[in-house]
Amino acid sequence: ILMGNTWWSVQSSVDEGYSMPPEDLVELTHLHEPAIVCALEARYKEDIIYTNTGSILLAVNPFKKIDGLYTLEMMERYWNHE
């Protein structure tokens, strides 16, 4: 199901040249619930809690403090949908 999305593979890891899912999930080859959950999980593991889906901003609660999360630069990045 998820293998149609080019960024995902069963053996993937950051150490093995694994690439992150796109910042905007509309770029996924197959936009369905399993692909979205897998993409959010991969980004969460890298402390990337904000993800765009078109004009919608998804946020995952990190349950910890992440340095630089609420800087003006970070807020402008998502306000401008970069």
Side-chain angles (χ1 to χ4, degrees), residues 31-44:
L31 184 60
H32 50 64
E33 185 177 357
I36 292 169
V37 170
C38 189
L40 292 175
E41 180 182 22
R43 293 173 60 80
Y44 175 84

Side-chain angles (χ1 to χ4, degrees), residues 6-25:
T6 57
W7 57 270
W8 186 85
S9 72
V10 175
Q11 291 90 20
S12 66
S13 76
V14 174
D15 297 332
E16 297 173 3
Y18 164 73
S19 63
M20 289 298 296
E23 288 190 26
D24 192 335
L25 297 184

